[in-house]
Amino acid sequence: MLEKYFIVLCTAALLSAEGIPEQQERIIGGDYVPIEDVPWQVALLRNEKHFCGGSIYNQRVILTAAHCVKGKKLRGLSVRAGSALKNFGGQLVSVDRVILHQDYVSSTDTLENDIAVLFLASPLELGPTVQPIKLAEESPEPGTNVLVTGWGALHDRPFLFFKEILLRTILTIVDRNECFEAYIADNFAIPVNATCAYAIGRGACRLDSGGPVVTLHPQRLIGIVSGVHTCAGELPEFHTDVAALKEWIINTVETYYRHK
């Protein structure tokens, strides 16, 4: 079962409800990052309780992982922007609509097109702590360093150690073929539209799902935290490849506003 191998980076309750790979939600081996350094980061909240991360695409659009919001009712769903504290400060805005990728697949052997677009009920007020991030034009090359941020678990098991403050860590993109070979032994196929990243003793964990993966120079959204075998374990974690799905993102946003 996929749940045996993966932490899809949401709460255990949300994961088991969807029957998707076990995902983890917190940064392991990271340090505090001021929201001014990553103003595109948002916390996804359900009934004002954090369960995933997201990235600001524009004042009314947030990008996150499909597995974070699949099957979730809009009532009580909101985002907090402009704060390094997941449950306090910044701007709290309700989500008006959720659109999942039409080819999103979550099964026991893969997790394809793990991306969703959230449309907010009212626009965010942009400023030093609230800013959109540009999308990557190309998929990252192996050896590229990327920034991963979130409010997820600090340890693998048990998932009992969570902090209120936003954390960051640096991972390195690894060769996709090597990543594929590492996972195929567990009968899991790395998604077609995904990249892999790794660092010894560091990485995303439970509740980091849906959060941003960003290149350093220039700062571009290269990925969305999706899944991992074990938090900061021996295998790379994998992220939804934003460059590969850029056209879908743009078309989804444009179509929504065209028919609104």
Side-chain angles (χ1 to χ4, degrees):
M1 295 293 292
L2 191 55
E3 292 165 321
K4 176 181 178 182
Y5 300 110
F6 293 88
I7 301 164
V8 181
L9 314 177
C10 286
T11 63
L14 292 175
L15 291 176
S16 59
E18 295 186 19
I20 57 179
E22 183 188 4
Q23 291 170 311
Q24 310 173 5
E25 294 127 25
R26 187 83 179 179
I27 297 296
I28 293 178
D31 58 357
Y32 166 68
V33 57
I35 194 64
E36 290 85 356
D37 290 357
V38 289
W40 51 80
Q41 171 87 51
V42 301
L44 269 58
L45 310 176
R46 188 176 184 188
N47 298 323
E48 299 191 14
K49 184 177 180 180
H50 167 258
F51 69 93
C52 268
S55 303
I56 300 173
Y57 176 74
N58 64 32
Q59 287 179 276
R60 298 195 68 152
V61 176
I62 304 297
L63 302 179
T64 190
H67 78 258
C68 284
V69 291
K70 182 179 183 297
K72 303 301 178 292
K73 294 181 180 179
L74 282 177
R75 184 172 183 176
L77 189 61
S78 61
V79 302
R80 186 182 303 280
S83 177
L85 304 177
K86 62 184 180 182
N87 293 317
F88 184 79
Q91 303 173 42
L92 188 63
V93 182
S94 297
V95 175
D96 185 57
R97 187 176 178 188
V98 174
I99 298 180
L100 275 64
H101 194 287
Q102 67 275 11
D103 294 324
Y104 167 64
V105 175
S106 173
S107 68
T108 57
D109 56 5
T110 193
L111 188 65
E112 294 287 352
N113 301 303
D114 189 16
I115 187 171
V117 177
L118 311 184
F119 295 91
L120 303 180
S122 58
L124 295 169
E125 183 178 341
L126 300 183
T129 61
V130 179
Q131 286 291 322
I133 184 167
K134 294 182 179 180
L135 306 184
E137 296 288 343
E138 299 178 346
S139 301
E141 294 291 331
T144 301
N145 288 332
V146 294
L147 175 70
V148 180
T149 50
W151 288 276
L154 296 172
H155 300 278
D156 184 5
R157 296 179 188 276
F159 300 111
L160 299 178
F161 302 93
F162 297 85
K163 278 194 174 182
E164 184 73 19
I165 61 173
L166 184 63
L167 298 183
R168 64 182 167 193
T169 194
I170 300 294
L171 305 179
T172 301
I173 298 296
V174 301
D175 181 78
R176 177 180 167 78
N177 291 331
E178 293 179 5
C179 186
F180 178 86
E181 292 297 329
Y183 274 98
I184 201 65
D186 284 322
N187 298 314
F188 183 83
I190 293 299
V192 173
N193 293 319
T195 60
C196 295
Y198 182 75
I200 298 175
R202 302 200 303 270
C205 198
R206 187 168 300 278
L207 299 182
D208 286 322
S209 276
V213 182
V214 175
T215 52
L216 304 180
H217 305 291
Q219 292 179 322
R220 297 288 185 269
L221 185 67
I222 203 76
I224 295 171
V225 176
S226 183
V228 61
H229 182 281
T230 302
C231 294
E234 296 182 356
L235 296 184
E237 59 188 70
F238 58 91
H239 310 136
T240 302
D241 188 343
V242 168
L245 296 172
K246 183 177 180 180
E247 184 176 350
W248 178 84
I249 295 170
I250 294 172
N251 289 341
T252 298
V253 173
E254 290 181 348
T255 299
Y256 173 80
Y257 284 115
R258 189 181 306 125
H259 295 93
K260 186 174 175 60

